[in-house]
Amino acid sequence: MRILLAGATGYLGSAVLPALLLDGHQVTAIAGSDDALAVITAAGASAIRGDVTDSTLLSNAARDADGVIHLFAPGGQVTAALDDAVVTGVLAGIEGSGKPYIHSAGIWVHGNGVLDEDSPFEPPELTAWRPGIVERVRAASGIRNIIVSPAVVYGHGSGIVRMIIDGPQVTDPEPALLFPGSGDQHWTSLHIDDLATFYSAALMRAAPGSYYIAASGENPTMREIATAASHTLGLGGRIAPEPAEETRRRLGPLEGAFRLDQQTSGERGRRDLGWKPIGPSLLDEIATGSYARRA
C-alpha cells in the first residue's frame, strides 16, 4: 500500500516508518524542514516538503495515498491545533473513499482506572482537547477509521520515561532520585518496536470504527520505575517523592498526567489483530542501561 505518514520524524515515527517499509509498503511523509526531509529519504521513504498543518497539501497527499497514519505528540495546545489541522486535511482528501485512516490518541485520554477500550474519556488538563478530535474521526463516513491509543511508549533510551531518569535528585542524607506522585500510580507501557508492529497490524486488519489501546499488559508502578532508574544511575535504588508543587512548577500540566494511575491488558489488540508484543518490559529495558543519564 501507498501510505501517507504524518509524524514520521518524531519518536514514534522513528520506529513506525521502518516497520511499514519492512512490511512492503511505500511510504510518503510530510517533511517540515530540510533536516526532516533528509531523515525521511535516508530511511527509504518519499518526502513532501511542506507544513503538516497545510490542509490543501495534506488533503491532496491523502487523496494520492492508499491509506494515512497520523502519529502524535503528548499534549498541549500546539498539539491540539496540529491534530485539528491534520484531521481536517486528511478527511477532506479521503472521506467517502473507503481508505484506512489511523489516528493516534493516547492512553492518558482515559484518566485513572483499570482500563479497556470501553472505558470513558476522562483526560487530564494536558490532553483535555483530545476526545473532541477522536469523535471527529469516529464520525467520519466512508473511510476505514481507526483510533489507536498507545500506552506510555519506551525503548532505545528515549520517550517520556526519559524525563524520570533525567529528573531531579536530592543529596541529603544520601543521593536519591525524585519521582512524581505518590509512587503507587501505575503506568501502562509498550516498547516502541511493539508499537510499530501494532500500527502495521491495525493498518491491514482493523475494521472501520475500531478503537484500540496498544499496550503490553505490563503496568509497573512509578515507585518500581524510579527504583529501576535509580539503580541504573548508580544511586543504589534510593528514591524519594518530589513535592507536587515542585513537580507542577517544573513540568506544568504534564504533572497531572504523570500522576495518573492506569492499568490495562491490551487484550483486544491481541485478539482482533493477531498482534503480540515481544519487546522487553519497561523495567527490564531500564535495567539494561539504555536509559543511563545523558551527559
Side-chain angles (χ1 to χ4, degrees):
M1 296 175 68
R2 296 170 300 157
I3 304 301
L4 177 65
L5 181 61
T9 58
Y11 178 49
L12 302 189
S14 69
V16 174
L17 173 56
L20 292 173
L21 294 170
L22 187 63
D23 284 348
H25 300 292
Q26 300 174 44
V27 180
T28 298
I30 308 297
S33 67
D34 291 340
D35 288 344
L37 189 148
V39 169
I40 292 164
T41 55
S46 300
I48 298 174
R49 183 69 168 86
D51 191 331
V52 74
T53 63
D54 182 335
S55 294
T56 300
L57 179 148
L58 199 59
S59 62
N60 289 337
R63 194 174 295 114
D64 290 341
D66 298 320
V68 182
I69 298 174
H70 173 45
L71 304 176
F72 75 109
Q77 291 309 307
V78 172
T79 310
L82 185 149
D83 261 15
D84 182 72
V86 169
V87 170
T88 298
V90 169
L91 295 185
I94 68 171
E95 210 159 12
S97 68
K99 294 176 181 179
Y101 171 49
I102 301 180
H103 184 84
S104 302
I107 193 68
W108 289 342
V109 77
H110 287 291
N112 293 300
V114 178
L115 309 171
D116 62 22
E117 284 82 357
D118 297 319
S119 297
F121 289 159
E122 297 177 346
E125 174 189 352
L126 185 73
T127 58
W129 52 269
R130 211 179 276 284
I133 299 288
V134 169
E135 293 307 323
R136 281 186 63 196
V137 177
R138 282 177 160 173
S141 61
I143 64 171
R144 185 155 60 91
N145 44 344
I146 305 155
I147 307 292
V148 174
S149 280
V152 174
V153 181
Y154 64 91
H156 308 307
S158 195
I160 203 78
V161 177
R162 183 88 249 168
M163 298 183 72
I164 305 300
I165 282 80
D166 290 344
Q169 300 180 13
V170 293
T171 57
D172 186 28
E174 293 182 282
L177 179 67
L178 297 181
F179 61 84
S182 68
D184 296 326
Q185 74 268 34
H186 296 80
W187 271 17
T188 65
S189 60
L190 184 64
H191 195 281
I192 189 169
D193 293 339
D194 289 328
L195 179 66
T197 61
F198 193 101
Y199 276 101
S200 289
L203 178 66
M204 300 307 296
R205 303 185 188 103
S210 296
Y211 177 73
Y212 290 106
I213 292 175
S216 68
E218 298 281 344
N219 306 286
T221 66
M222 177 57 65
R223 184 172 288 105
E224 291 172 324
I225 295 167
T227 299
S230 175
H231 280 295
T232 203
L233 293 171
L235 300 177
R238 291 183 296 274
I239 60 173
E242 181 182 28
E245 60 273 16
E246 293 298 323
T247 308
R248 183 76 180 187
R249 187 177 299 113
R250 184 168 60 88
L251 300 179
L254 190 59
E255 180 264 341
F258 274 25
R259 283 191 289 104
L260 290 176
D261 183 12
Q262 300 182 311
Q263 299 183 64
T264 188
S265 68
E267 180 60 34
R268 183 179 292 181
R270 293 174 176 79
R271 183 186 69 234
D272 291 1
L273 304 178
W275 168 84
K276 182 179 180 180
I278 60 174
S281 71
L282 172 54
L283 298 182
D284 287 342
E285 182 81 352
I286 294 172
T288 67
S290 67
Y291 278 98
R293 186 181 286 269
R294 292 171 175 164

